[in-house]
Amino acid sequence: MPDTSDSHPDIHWPSGFSPEQAHGFCQAQAVVHAPPDTAFALLADVPGWPEWVPGITEARAGPLTRTYEVLFHGQRFEVFMGERVAPRRLGWSGVGAGVQVYQAWLLTAVADGTHAVVASVVRGPAAKSLAAPSPAWEQHLNTLWLAQLKRLSESAPGGAARTQ
């Protein structure tokens, strides 16, 4: 059972995907020196993920509204964009390669930009087998997503890199 003590109380976990029901859970946060709209636009543009999300090489629209097919480290995932409340909340679920994942984002305007929180839960046989040899792999992925989001948001028009 993962340590869920740092789970953010404002995240809306879908049924079956709470941190207590997961084989892995992690959370990361940072201040992004850009408005929430900028960060939200990057996160919500799933077809654009291959340009900035580490490990994703392809993302295209799926057969249903808000569904996508994503290649992550050569493995095919079906992704459903669930919660989408611009520019504050975003959540998506992915299924593939023996794992189910739900990733939630909270974006809150603060004086110097956006406080971004990303939290992920993973379930399934692959998640269980990865947890033993490398319990920090989920945290590493969240940290990479957050670092890239920060970098791109801050270099976008209206971000810190453009206004300094």
Side-chain angles (χ1 to χ4, degrees):
M1 172 92 113
D3 177 14
T4 62
S5 60
D6 67 344
S7 178
H8 197 286
D10 292 333
I11 290 182
H12 300 159
W13 297 107
S15 179
F17 281 93
S18 72
E20 295 79 16
Q21 297 169 308
H23 296 121
F25 165 77
C26 62
Q27 181 173 285
Q29 54 189 319
V31 173
V32 175
H33 300 287
D37 289 346
T38 301
F40 187 90
L42 284 165
L43 291 168
D45 178 20
V46 178
W49 286 0
E51 297 171 21
W52 67 276
V53 177
I56 294 181
T57 55
E58 184 179 327
R60 62 176 184 238
L64 302 172
T65 303
R66 299 190 334 169
T67 64
Y68 302 87
E69 294 179 8
V70 174
L71 280 181
F72 178 68
H73 289 288
Q75 300 294 317
R76 184 176 161 271
F77 283 80
E78 294 183 28
V79 170
F80 173 71
M81 188 62 67
E83 186 174 32
R84 184 184 167 122
V85 180
R88 168 102 171 98
R89 315 170 72 80
L90 191 92
W92 61 268
S93 61
V95 177
V99 69
Q100 299 169 324
V101 62
Y102 187 81
Q103 186 180 71
W105 288 86
L106 293 176
L107 305 170
T108 306
V110 293
D112 51 351
T114 302
H115 180 245
V117 176
V118 56
S120 300
V121 296
V122 292
R123 303 182 326 179
K128 282 195 261 185
S129 67
L130 279 171
S134 180
W137 70 272
E138 304 133 320
Q139 186 65 40
H140 180 68
L141 288 176
N142 273 1
T143 302
L144 288 174
W145 272 74
L146 194 55
Q148 285 290 83
L149 178 69
K150 182 173 171 57
R151 181 183 65 80
L152 289 174
S153 294
E154 291 175 358
S155 65
R162 302 281 178 160
T163 59
Q164 292 178 352

